[in-house]
Amino acid sequence: MGNLALLRLTERLALNSSKIVEEVRFAIEEPDNYFFRFKEKFKERGMEKPSEELPWIVLLDALIEAELAYEIDWKESTLEITYAIDDLSDRKKIDSLDWDWIENMSDAMPTGEKLQAIADRMYERSLSLAYLDIDSDSYILVVVPNIEISELIDLALKAGHTISSTFI
């Protein structure tokens, strides 16, 4: 069920991009071949050999490359966070948030708290800000309609991974 769930999740997050789906499928079916073919890009993620995490990492990197996800550091500026969310929203043809309220948010505030405040505002607009967990000090962000988030979280769990819309 795990690989099937990951492929279904890939289809949903990649907006049915056959290129991304095939890339994840290749990583599932032939992890050694995939890893050694693209070995250099995995060095950046600290991977020295294929692991069970390979298809998940392939999905996340493909989503980032297609601008359907955005990776931010654990200690990111408020400006960079708003840029990332605007970019994701624009890519999905979603109106940007009104950021006037965020001017009072200090860059000293922990990133998780900033993201939660933004997620709460987005929820009011029937949108979910969520992150795909890679057990690292960064957040891989996605923006999806509220109606989809529960199913995406469930698919990720069935695939052995985590998507969360709670940051604190």
Side-chain angles (χ1 to χ4, degrees), residues 68-149:
L68 297 171
Y70 201 99
E71 185 169 13
I72 63 166
D73 191 59
W74 69 277
K75 192 168 182 166
E76 197 65 72
S77 73
T78 305
L79 182 62
E80 183 64 25
I81 293 170
T82 59
Y83 170 79
I85 293 168
D86 279 346
D87 195 39
L88 289 171
S89 297
D90 186 52
R91 184 80 171 147
K92 289 193 168 185
K93 311 265 189 277
I94 297 169
D95 290 336
S96 295
L97 281 178
D98 173 7
W99 294 111
D100 291 341
W101 64 276
I102 210 161
E103 290 175 2
N104 298 326
M105 190 177 287
S106 165
D107 271 341
M109 178 187 280
T111 299
E113 289 180 29
K114 293 178 203 177
L115 292 170
Q116 189 61 56
I118 294 167
D120 292 345
R121 292 277 179 140
M122 293 182 79
Y123 187 82
E124 294 170 3
R125 295 185 56 213
S126 299
L127 297 170
S128 288
L129 176 65
Y131 71 95
L132 293 76
D133 191 9
I134 57 170
D135 195 28
S136 128
D137 60 357
S138 64
Y139 296 91
I140 311 277
L141 300 176
V142 294
V143 173
V144 297
N146 284 350
I147 196 164
E148 294 179 19
I149 193 66

Side-chain angles (χ1 to χ4, degrees), residues 7-21:
L7 287 171
R8 288 186 58 221
L9 180 64
T10 299
E11 290 170 352
R12 299 291 302 279
L13 290 173
L15 304 176
N16 292 314
S17 165
S18 59
K19 179 182 183 258
I20 295 174
V21 172

Side-chain angles (χ1 to χ4, degrees), residues 48-78:
E48 296 179 13
K49 61 182 182 177
S51 73
E52 292 178 356
E53 298 295 310
L54 181 69
W56 181 246
I57 299 300
V58 168
L59 169 60
L60 302 183
D61 285 345
L63 291 172
I64 292 166
E65 187 176 310
E67 300 177 347
L68 297 171
Y70 201 99
E71 185 169 13
I72 63 166
D73 191 59
W74 69 277
K75 192 168 182 166
E76 197 65 72
S77 73
T78 305

Side-chain angles (χ1 to χ4, degrees), residues 23-28 30-65 71 134:
E23 195 168 346
V24 172
R25 179 175 280 119
F26 180 25
I28 289 169
E30 298 182 53
D32 291 336
N33 287 341
Y34 188 94
F35 182 84
F36 290 110
R37 185 172 182 187
F38 301 104
K39 189 176 185 177
E40 288 303 311
K41 76 177 185 177
F42 294 110
K43 284 184 181 179
E44 294 174 25
R45 294 255 183 230
M47 294 177 68
E48 296 179 13
K49 61 182 182 177
S51 73
E52 292 178 356
E53 298 295 310
L54 181 69
W56 181 246
I57 299 300
V58 168
L59 169 60
L60 302 183
D61 285 345
L63 291 172
I64 292 166
E65 187 176 310
E71 185 169 13
I134 57 170

